[in-house]
Amino acid sequence: MKFPFVGDVKSETETEKIAQEFARLLKPGDVIGLTGELGSGKTFFVKAACKTFGIMNVSSPSFAIVNIYNGIEKINHFDFFRIKKIEELFDIGFDEYIDENSITFIEWSEMFPELMPTKYYQINIVFINNDNRKITISKNE
Ligand SMILES: Nc1ncnc2c1ncn2[C@@H]1O[C@H](COP(=O)(O)OP(=O)(O)OP(=O)(O)O)[C@@H](O)[C@H]1O
Ligand SMILES: [Mg+2]
């Protein structure tokens, strides 16, 4: 996979393939921001990516703010959607989650762009219709 990556997918299976190809490139310490409207497939993408690490219990962290999964890698899965103030994230120790031992996915990352490290992957998913999506993955460094 080369960056920026742009893919037009026509099914969930195609999204899963891209997510798993992407996940194979990830290393501990990596941070991935996901953007795209409600129901575009951000959680679906994280779920598919996590299968690569043997993690099968991924769910949307929108109420919990963060889910932690332990598989071949340790994964932090954030969802900023319900956060009103950045202080709420500092209160739950956001800074301590992002470390060299874990991979961090952040849904709705555009809500607090100042929290993204200098190096991170950005995934944008555009809902086209039905099962069609446009997926863009870029590497910021
Ligand atoms: N090609 C596709 N890629 C991803 N998801 C798809 C695709 N086709 C259909 N879907 C469906 O779209 C839905 C995406 O929901 P998902 O919860 O992943 O969205 P989300 O972006 O995380 O939403 P939210 O902003 O509420 O967190 C799922 O029900 C999934 O099965
Ligand atoms: Mg979601």
Side-chain angles (χ1 to χ4, degrees), residues 36-61:
E37 66 180 280
L38 281 169
S40 55
K42 301 178 293 297
T43 301
F44 186 92
F45 190 100
V46 175
K47 205 178 265 195
C50 284
K51 284 183 189 160
T52 306
F53 305 116
I55 297 163
M56 314 308 272
N57 62 330
V58 172
S59 62
S60 175

PDB file of all heavy atoms in Angstrom, residues 36-61:
ATOM      1  N   GLY A  36     -15.154  11.039   8.809  1.00  0.00           N
ATOM      2  CA  GLY A  36     -16.221  10.598   7.905  1.00  0.00           C
ATOM      3  C   GLY A  36     -17.539  10.671   8.659  1.00  0.00           C
ATOM      4  O   GLY A  36     -17.576  10.456   9.868  1.00  0.00           O
ATOM      5  N   GLU A  37     -18.601  10.958   7.927  1.00  0.00           N
ATOM      6  CA  GLU A  37     -19.904  11.186   8.563  1.00  0.00           C
ATOM      7  C   GLU A  37     -20.398   9.964   9.353  1.00  0.00           C
ATOM      8  O   GLU A  37     -19.849   8.864   9.207  1.00  0.00           O
ATOM      9  CB  GLU A  37     -20.938  11.609   7.516  1.00  0.00           C
ATOM     10  CG  GLU A  37     -21.248  10.518   6.504  1.00  0.00           C
ATOM     11  CD  GLU A  37     -22.283  10.953   5.460  1.00  0.00           C
ATOM     12  OE1 GLU A  37     -23.470  10.927   5.770  1.00  0.00           O
ATOM     13  OE2 GLU A  37     -21.881  11.313   4.336  1.00  0.00           O
ATOM     14  N   LEU A  38     -21.416  10.191  10.161  1.00  0.00           N
ATOM     15  CA  LEU A  38     -22.055   9.129  10.951  1.00  0.00           C
ATOM     16  C   LEU A  38     -22.396   7.946  10.051  1.00  0.00           C
ATOM     17  O   LEU A  38     -23.023   8.129   9.003  1.00  0.00           O
ATOM     18  CB  LEU A  38     -23.367   9.641  11.563  1.00  0.00           C
ATOM     19  CG  LEU A  38     -23.307  10.521  12.806  1.00  0.00           C
ATOM     20  CD1 LEU A  38     -24.685  11.133  13.074  1.00  0.00           C
ATOM     21  CD2 LEU A  38     -22.847   9.718  14.006  1.00  0.00           C
ATOM     22  N   GLY A  39     -21.983   6.771  10.451  1.00  0.00           N
ATOM     23  CA  GLY A  39     -22.325   5.573   9.696  1.00  0.00           C
ATOM     24  C   GLY A  39     -21.523   5.352   8.426  1.00  0.00           C
ATOM     25  O   GLY A  39     -21.842   4.476   7.627  1.00  0.00           O
ATOM     26  N   SER A  40     -20.433   6.128   8.246  1.00  0.00           N
ATOM     27  CA  SER A  40     -19.646   5.945   7.019  1.00  0.00           C
ATOM     28  C   SER A  40     -18.805   4.672   7.085  1.00  0.00           C
ATOM     29  O   SER A  40     -18.482   4.084   6.050  1.00  0.00           O
ATOM     30  CB  SER A  40     -18.759   7.174   6.761  1.00  0.00           C
ATOM     31  OG  SER A  40     -17.946   7.438   7.874  1.00  0.00           O
ATOM     32  N   GLY A  41     -18.463   4.248   8.309  1.00  0.00           N
ATOM     33  CA  GLY A  41     -17.710   2.996   8.427  1.00  0.00           C
ATOM     34  C   GLY A  41     -16.404   3.081   9.197  1.00  0.00           C
ATOM     35  O   GLY A  41     -15.540   2.218   9.043  1.00  0.00           O
ATOM     36  N   LYS A  42     -16.272   4.066  10.068  1.00  0.00           N
ATOM     37  CA  LYS A  42     -15.032   4.216  10.842  1.00  0.00           C
ATOM     38  C   LYS A  42     -14.851   3.031  11.800  1.00  0.00           C
ATOM     39  O   LYS A  42     -13.786   2.406  11.839  1.00  0.00           O
ATOM     40  CB  LYS A  42     -15.050   5.548  11.621  1.00  0.00           C
ATOM     41  CG  LYS A  42     -15.182   6.772  10.702  1.00  0.00           C
ATOM     42  CD  LYS A  42     -15.253   8.082  11.473  1.00  0.00           C
ATOM     43  CE  LYS A  42     -16.501   8.272  12.315  1.00  0.00           C
ATOM     44  NZ  LYS A  42     -17.764   8.309  11.511  1.00  0.00           N
ATOM     45  N   THR A  43     -15.893   2.736  12.564  1.00  0.00           N
ATOM     46  CA  THR A  43     -15.799   1.605  13.493  1.00  0.00           C
ATOM     47  C   THR A  43     -15.612   0.300  12.719  1.00  0.00           C
ATOM     48  O   THR A  43     -14.812  -0.559  13.119  1.00  0.00           O
ATOM     49  CB  THR A  43     -17.063   1.516  14.376  1.00  0.00           C
ATOM     50  OG1 THR A  43     -17.188   2.739  15.108  1.00  0.00           O
ATOM     51  CG2 THR A  43     -16.975   0.359  15.355  1.00  0.00           C
ATOM     52  N   PHE A  44     -16.319   0.165  11.604  1.00  0.00           N
ATOM     53  CA  PHE A  44     -16.191  -1.030  10.765  1.00  0.00           C
ATOM     54  C   PHE A  44     -14.742  -1.219  10.332  1.00  0.00           C
ATOM     55  O   PHE A  44     -14.203  -2.337  10.356  1.00  0.00           O
ATOM     56  CB  PHE A  44     -17.113  -0.916   9.544  1.00  0.00           C
ATOM     57  CG  PHE A  44     -17.154  -2.156   8.704  1.00  0.00           C
ATOM     58  CD1 PHE A  44     -18.114  -3.134   8.928  1.00  0.00           C
ATOM     59  CD2 PHE A  44     -16.225  -2.362   7.690  1.00  0.00           C
ATOM     60  CE1 PHE A  44     -18.143  -4.295   8.159  1.00  0.00           C
ATOM     61  CE2 PHE A  44     -16.243  -3.517   6.920  1.00  0.00           C
ATOM     62  CZ  PHE A  44     -17.213  -4.483   7.149  1.00  0.00           C
ATOM     63  N   PHE A  45     -14.078  -0.121   9.950  1.00  0.00           N
ATOM     64  CA  PHE A  45     -12.687  -0.174   9.505  1.00  0.00           C
ATOM     65  C   PHE A  45     -11.777  -0.620  10.654  1.00  0.00           C
ATOM     66  O   PHE A  45     -10.911  -1.495  10.476  1.00  0.00           O
ATOM     67  CB  PHE A  45     -12.249   1.205   8.980  1.00  0.00           C
ATOM     68  CG  PHE A  45     -10.916   1.205   8.281  1.00  0.00           C
ATOM     69  CD1 PHE A  45     -10.840   1.197   6.897  1.00  0.00           C
ATOM     70  CD2 PHE A  45      -9.725   1.222   9.007  1.00  0.00           C
ATOM     71  CE1 PHE A  45      -9.603   1.198   6.244  1.00  0.00           C
ATOM     72  CE2 PHE A  45      -8.489   1.215   8.364  1.00  0.00           C
ATOM     73  CZ  PHE A  45      -8.434   1.205   6.981  1.00  0.00           C
ATOM     74  N   VAL A  46     -11.969  -0.038  11.843  1.00  0.00           N
ATOM     75  CA  VAL A  46     -11.132  -0.399  12.998  1.00  0.00           C
ATOM     76  C   VAL A  46     -11.331  -1.871  13.349  1.00  0.00           C
ATOM     77  O   VAL A  46     -10.381  -2.610  13.632  1.00  0.00           O
ATOM     78  CB  VAL A  46     -11.449   0.507  14.221  1.00  0.00           C
ATOM     79  CG1 VAL A  46     -10.665   0.058  15.454  1.00  0.00           C
ATOM     80  CG2 VAL A  46     -11.153   1.975  13.901  1.00  0.00           C
ATOM     81  N   LYS A  47     -12.595  -2.305  13.279  1.00  0.00           N
ATOM     82  CA  LYS A  47     -12.927  -3.709  13.568  1.00  0.00           C
ATOM     83  C   LYS A  47     -12.170  -4.642  12.627  1.00  0.00           C
ATOM     84  O   LYS A  47     -11.569  -5.631  13.057  1.00  0.00           O
ATOM     85  CB  LYS A  47     -14.443  -3.884  13.377  1.00  0.00           C
ATOM     86  CG  LYS A  47     -15.052  -5.010  14.143  1.00  0.00           C
ATOM     87  CD  LYS A  47     -16.557  -5.062  13.909  1.00  0.00           C
ATOM     88  CE  LYS A  47     -17.310  -4.328  15.008  1.00  0.00           C
ATOM     89  NZ  LYS A  47     -18.745  -4.641  15.036  1.00  0.00           N
ATOM     90  N   ALA A  48     -12.190  -4.319  11.351  1.00  0.00           N
ATOM     91  CA  ALA A  48     -11.503  -5.149  10.355  1.00  0.00           C
ATOM     92  C   ALA A  48      -9.993  -5.110  10.566  1.00  0.00           C
ATOM     93  O   ALA A  48      -9.320  -6.142  10.495  1.00  0.00           O
ATOM     94  CB  ALA A  48     -11.862  -4.672   8.952  1.00  0.00           C
ATOM     95  N   ALA A  49      -9.457  -3.923  10.849  1.00  0.00           N
ATOM     96  CA  ALA A  49      -8.010  -3.785  11.064  1.00  0.00           C
ATOM     97  C   ALA A  49      -7.578  -4.618  12.276  1.00  0.00           C
ATOM     98  O   ALA A  49      -6.547  -5.295  12.242  1.00  0.00           O
ATOM     99  CB  ALA A  49      -7.645  -2.316  11.269  1.00  0.00           C
ATOM    100  N   CYS A  50      -8.386  -4.596  13.334  1.00  0.00           N
ATOM    101  CA  CYS A  50      -8.019  -5.294  14.576  1.00  0.00           C
ATOM    102  C   CYS A  50      -8.020  -6.812  14.430  1.00  0.00           C
ATOM    103  O   CYS A  50      -7.326  -7.511  15.177  1.00  0.00           O
ATOM    104  CB  CYS A  50      -8.926  -4.855  15.721  1.00  0.00           C
ATOM    105  SG  CYS A  50      -8.490  -3.218  16.347  1.00  0.00           S
ATOM    106  N   LYS A  51      -8.767  -7.332  13.460  1.00  0.00           N
ATOM    107  CA  LYS A  51      -8.755  -8.782  13.215  1.00  0.00           C
ATOM    108  C   LYS A  51      -7.346  -9.245  12.877  1.00  0.00           C
ATOM    109  O   LYS A  51      -6.941 -10.357  13.214  1.00  0.00           O
ATOM    110  CB  LYS A  51      -9.718  -9.156  12.082  1.00  0.00           C
ATOM    111  CG  LYS A  51     -11.171  -9.134  12.541  1.00  0.00           C
ATOM    112  CD  LYS A  51     -12.113  -9.568  11.419  1.00  0.00           C
ATOM    113  CE  LYS A  51     -13.556  -9.327  11.839  1.00  0.00           C
ATOM    114  NZ  LYS A  51     -14.483  -9.258  10.711  1.00  0.00           N
ATOM    115  N   THR A  52      -6.580  -8.371  12.214  1.00  0.00           N
ATOM    116  CA  THR A  52      -5.195  -8.663  11.862  1.00  0.00           C
ATOM    117  C   THR A  52      -4.352  -8.929  13.110  1.00  0.00           C
ATOM    118  O   THR A  52      -3.365  -9.648  13.065  1.00  0.00           O
ATOM    119  CB  THR A  52      -4.614  -7.457  11.082  1.00  0.00           C
ATOM    120  OG1 THR A  52      -5.489  -7.184   9.990  1.00  0.00           O
ATOM    121  CG2 THR A  52      -3.221  -7.712  10.545  1.00  0.00           C
ATOM    122  N   PHE A  53      -4.752  -8.327  14.242  1.00  0.00           N
ATOM    123  CA  PHE A  53      -4.023  -8.511  15.497  1.00  0.00           C
ATOM    124  C   PHE A  53      -4.712  -9.545  16.391  1.00  0.00           C
ATOM    125  O   PHE A  53      -4.460  -9.603  17.592  1.00  0.00           O
ATOM    126  CB  PHE A  53      -3.894  -7.165  16.231  1.00  0.00           C
ATOM    127  CG  PHE A  53      -3.272  -6.090  15.384  1.00  0.00           C
ATOM    128  CD1 PHE A  53      -3.998  -4.955  15.021  1.00  0.00           C
ATOM    129  CD2 PHE A  53      -1.973  -6.227  14.913  1.00  0.00           C
ATOM    130  CE1 PHE A  53      -3.425  -3.968  14.221  1.00  0.00           C
ATOM    131  CE2 PHE A  53      -1.400  -5.245  14.111  1.00  0.00           C
ATOM    132  CZ  PHE A  53      -2.127  -4.120  13.757  1.00  0.00           C
ATOM    133  N   GLY A  54      -5.616 -10.314  15.796  1.00  0.00           N
ATOM    134  CA  GLY A  54      -6.309 -11.357  16.538  1.00  0.00           C
ATOM    135  C   GLY A  54      -7.350 -10.835  17.515  1.00  0.00           C
ATOM    136  O   GLY A  54      -7.744 -11.534  18.446  1.00  0.00           O
ATOM    137  N   ILE A  55      -7.778  -9.603  17.296  1.00  0.00           N
ATOM    138  CA  ILE A  55      -8.766  -8.986  18.203  1.00  0.00           C
ATOM    139  C   ILE A  55     -10.143  -9.048  17.546  1.00  0.00           C
ATOM    140  O   ILE A  55     -10.336  -8.507  16.455  1.00  0.00           O
ATOM    141  CB  ILE A  55      -8.366  -7.524  18.511  1.00  0.00           C
ATOM    142  CG1 ILE A  55      -7.023  -7.505  19.238  1.00  0.00           C
ATOM    143  CG2 ILE A  55      -9.456  -6.823  19.327  1.00  0.00           C
ATOM    144  CD1 ILE A  55      -6.340  -6.158  19.230  1.00  0.00           C
ATOM    145  N   MET A  56     -11.082  -9.716  18.217  1.00  0.00           N
ATOM    146  CA  MET A  56     -12.398  -9.947  17.616  1.00  0.00           C
ATOM    147  C   MET A  56     -13.523  -9.246  18.373  1.00  0.00           C
ATOM    148  O   MET A  56     -14.679  -9.401  18.027  1.00  0.00           O
ATOM    149  CB  MET A  56     -12.691 -11.457  17.557  1.00  0.00           C
ATOM    150  CG  MET A  56     -11.545 -12.307  17.035  1.00  0.00           C
ATOM    151  SD  MET A  56     -10.885 -11.748  15.449  1.00  0.00           S
ATOM    152  CE  MET A  56     -11.960 -12.650  14.362  1.00  0.00           C
ATOM    153  N   ASN A  57     -13.175  -8.508  19.434  1.00  0.00           N
ATOM    154  CA  ASN A  57     -14.226  -7.915  20.274  1.00  0.00           C
ATOM    155  C   ASN A  57     -14.300  -6.391  20.159  1.00  0.00           C
ATOM    156  O   ASN A  57     -14.570  -5.690  21.123  1.00  0.00           O
ATOM    157  CB  ASN A  57     -14.004  -8.309  21.737  1.00  0.00           C
ATOM    158  CG  ASN A  57     -12.688  -7.794  22.283  1.00  0.00           C
ATOM    159  OD1 ASN A  57     -11.728  -7.639  21.540  1.00  0.00           O
ATOM    160  ND2 ASN A  57     -12.638  -7.514  23.576  1.00  0.00           N
ATOM    161  N   VAL A  58     -14.052  -5.869  18.962  1.00  0.00           N
ATOM    162  CA  VAL A  58     -14.094  -4.414  18.767  1.00  0.00           C
ATOM    163  C   VAL A  58     -15.543  -3.921  18.726  1.00  0.00           C
ATOM    164  O   VAL A  58     -16.390  -4.514  18.061  1.00  0.00           O
ATOM    165  CB  VAL A  58     -13.375  -4.024  17.453  1.00  0.00           C
ATOM    166  CG1 VAL A  58     -13.572  -2.546  17.137  1.00  0.00           C
ATOM    167  CG2 VAL A  58     -11.889  -4.363  17.552  1.00  0.00           C
ATOM    168  N   SER A  59     -15.796  -2.856  19.469  1.00  0.00           N
ATOM    169  CA  SER A  59     -17.120  -2.236  19.410  1.00  0.00           C
ATOM    170  C   SER A  59     -16.949  -0.724  19.444  1.00  0.00           C
ATOM    171  O   SER A  59     -15.867  -0.220  19.755  1.00  0.00           O
ATOM    172  CB  SER A  59     -17.981  -2.710  20.579  1.00  0.00           C
ATOM    173  OG  SER A  59     -17.377  -2.319  21.787  1.00  0.00           O
ATOM    174  N   SER A  60     -18.009  -0.007  19.143  1.00  0.00           N
ATOM    175  CA  SER A  60     -17.912   1.452  19.100  1.00  0.00           C
ATOM    176  C   SER A  60     -17.686   2.011  20.500  1.00  0.00           C
ATOM    177  O   SER A  60     -18.424   1.699  21.420  1.00  0.00           O
ATOM    178  CB  SER A  60     -19.194   2.038  18.526  1.00  0.00           C
ATOM    179  OG  SER A  60     -19.116   3.447  18.614  1.00  0.00           O
ATOM    180  N   PRO A  61     -16.654   2.841  20.667  1.00  0.00           N
ATOM    181  CA  PRO A  61     -16.387   3.400  21.995  1.00  0.00           C
ATOM    182  C   PRO A  61     -17.119   4.712  22.242  1.00  0.00           C
ATOM    183  O   PRO A  61     -16.736   5.476  23.124  1.00  0.00           O
ATOM    184  CB  PRO A  61     -14.876   3.635  21.962  1.00  0.00           C
ATOM    185  CG  PRO A  61     -14.493   3.668  20.526  1.00  0.00           C
ATOM    186  CD  PRO A  61     -15.640   3.233  19.692  1.00  0.00           C
TER     187      PRO A  61
END
